[in-house]
Amino acid sequence: MKKITKEVYLKWYEDMLFWRKFEDKLAAVYIQQKVRGFLHLYNGQEAVLAGALHAMDLTKDKMITAYRNHVQPIGMGVDPKRVMAELYGKVTGTSQGMGGSMHIFSKEHRFYGGHGIVGGQIPLGAGLAFADKYKKNDAVTLCYMGDGAVRQGSLHETFNLAMLWQLPVVFVCENNGYAMGTSVARTSFSTDIWKLGLGYEMPCGPVDGMDPVTVAKEMNKAIERARSGGGPTFLEMKTYRYRGHSMSDAQQYRTKDEVEEYKKIDPITQVLQVIKDNKYATDEEIKAIDKRVKQLVNECEKFADESDYPPISQLYDMVYDQEDYPFLKHKL
């Protein structure tokens, strides 16, 4: 695995802080009704992404996830201004304003969504990996899901085929404690989600999803196994979300004390403490990072605010072209 150096810690701090502040801004503009529909925020789970990105080869590896999907494409290289514009429904967004919060997508940066159907991305992730194996691309797909999605039958069908065909895919369950508002203990006899891999003899295990170092190490093992032809892995990232399932969640299923308890092991705070303990940056340098993050978030908001909504004609552009169907005259 690539060494976890001073530069890595500083990048982790700046990236995770930006992701957090980016989504805090989204929460604020959602209340102002600049962002409509559902909004599922990632606050608290940032270490899962930071650690994974460190282990990935971003020139060829792919990622696919569910609808809590705003910061992952940013980590993969997508312009955050375009991500925020997509959430605003603006024409400058990643899908020209037609996808919205749950459907961020970038073929260029190998980020394949954003899927609103619970568990819908699981077989698609295996399909991406199948294509890479077939084409000998030497690439690995990271397929993420929530703890609620593991109750879907498609997960078991996918696990079976992934093992049968030894696909280069890493399945990752981001277990943030609550499938919408229901704890794992209320929906499963076994609360060790990672054990689902045992039924398919798939390498599997639990991971501390609040520590980017631990995430990076375990993801690196799984990615290298997949890349070398060793087949899939299933990892359960034990993490936590500070906000509700979505912005409309009243969070009556947990106490404020519980949330505050988890904030004591916040991934951003953990990384910042390592930076301070090892004197990787002075207080002034840390303040400079904080200032850059705030400025970039403001730039994203300004870009989204000032962008245009798509024209009505675009509704007719977002369809498959069919030569013998002359009734839709619009084309992009």
Side-chain angles (χ1 to χ4, degrees):
M1 187 178 75
K2 292 175 293 208
K3 288 184 178 180
I4 299 176
T5 61
K6 163 188 169 181
E7 288 72 26
V8 170
Y9 272 104
L10 290 171
K11 179 172 170 52
W12 275 347
Y13 175 67
E14 186 160 352
D15 284 350
M16 290 196 294
L17 184 64
F18 174 69
W19 301 337
R20 178 77 58 85
K21 297 300 182 182
F22 181 89
E23 291 209 314
D24 285 347
K25 177 61 70 175
L26 288 175
V29 297
Y30 185 88
I31 294 169
Q32 298 170 32
Q33 296 189 340
K34 292 182 179 180
V35 172
R36 304 293 186 96
F38 292 103
L39 183 66
H40 307 85
L41 303 178
Y42 204 66
N43 298 41
Q45 300 181 212
E46 293 89 353
V48 177
L49 177 59
L53 292 172
H54 183 74
M56 293 174 72
D57 183 340
L58 294 179
T59 66
K60 55 187 174 184
D61 292 341
K62 300 178 176 67
M63 187 181 290
I64 186 170
T65 188
Y67 38 76
R68 204 176 300 279
N69 72 136
H70 312 134
V71 299
Q72 293 92 335
I74 295 171
M76 295 282 285
V78 178
D79 185 344
K81 295 187 186 70
R82 295 193 64 210
V83 174
M84 188 165 284
E86 184 61 37
L87 282 143
Y88 272 59
K90 297 298 185 71
V91 73
T92 53
T94 50
S95 295
Q96 295 174 262
M98 303 293 281
S101 170
M102 295 196 286
H103 305 285
I104 309 298
F105 191 95
S106 174
K107 183 179 179 182
E108 177 189 357
H109 294 283
R110 294 165 294 283
F111 181 75
Y112 293 92
H115 294 266
I117 302 298
V118 175
Q121 75 280 10
I122 300 172
L124 297 180
L128 290 168
F130 178 85
D132 281 329
K133 182 171 183 177
Y134 184 82
K135 296 177 180 179
K136 297 181 171 61
N137 287 339
D138 191 40
V140 176
T141 297
L142 272 59
C143 179
Y144 288 84
M145 68 206 75
D147 45 285
V150 301
R151 310 295 161 220
Q152 297 292 330
S154 60
L155 174 130
H156 298 276
E157 296 169 347
T158 301
F159 275 18
N160 183 54
L161 286 176
M163 284 299 291
L164 188 65
W165 295 336
Q166 290 291 281
L167 300 181
V169 56
V170 181
F171 298 106
V172 181
C173 173
E174 292 182 281
N175 182 2
N176 59 28
Y178 302 96
M180 293 185 71
T182 306
S183 68
V184 175
R186 292 183 62 195
T187 61
S188 176
F189 178 75
S190 173
T191 56
D192 292 322
I193 292 174
W194 63 270
K195 290 181 179 178
L196 289 172
L198 297 175
Y200 304 91
E201 298 185 22
M202 184 185 296
C204 53
V207 181
D208 178 3
M210 302 298 276
D211 177 11
V213 176
T214 305
V215 173
K217 289 178 178 177
E218 294 304 317
M219 288 297 295
N220 183 70
K221 291 177 190 174
I223 289 171
E224 289 309 305
R225 179 185 295 123
R227 206 184 306 282
S228 63
T233 301
F234 179 47
L235 299 175
E236 178 191 354
M237 300 285 173
K238 293 181 180 290
T239 183
Y240 197 81
R241 55 170 167 80
Y242 303 144
R243 292 184 180 270
H245 171 72
S246 70
M247 286 293 288
S248 58
D249 181 3
Q251 305 184 58
Q252 295 177 346
Y253 47 84
R254 64 181 179 183
T255 65
K256 290 182 179 179
D257 288 342
E258 178 184 304
V259 177
E260 291 304 313
E261 199 60 31
Y262 272 96
K263 285 184 178 180
K264 293 177 182 177
I265 55 169
D266 183 277
I268 300 174
T269 304
Q270 288 192 59
V271 166
L272 180 58
Q273 194 60 52
V274 172
I275 291 171
K276 288 181 176 180
D277 290 346
N278 290 277
K279 296 182 171 55
Y280 287 158
T282 64
D283 289 344
E284 289 304 312
E285 288 169 332
I286 292 169
K287 286 179 182 177
I289 292 173
D290 297 347
K291 185 177 179 181
R292 282 201 302 272
V293 164
K294 184 178 181 180
Q295 183 178 345
L296 182 53
V297 170
N298 289 338
E299 288 173 7
C300 291
E301 181 186 20
K302 186 173 186 290
F303 178 80
D305 271 329
E306 294 178 354
S307 294
D308 294 325
Y309 287 104
I312 295 296
S313 61
Q314 190 172 293
L315 285 170
Y316 302 98
D317 297 331
M318 300 300 181
V319 292
Y320 289 106
D321 191 19
Q322 185 175 324
E323 290 183 5
D324 60 350
Y325 190 80
F327 305 108
L328 298 177
K329 297 180 181 179
H330 294 284
K331 283 186 181 179
L332 283 175

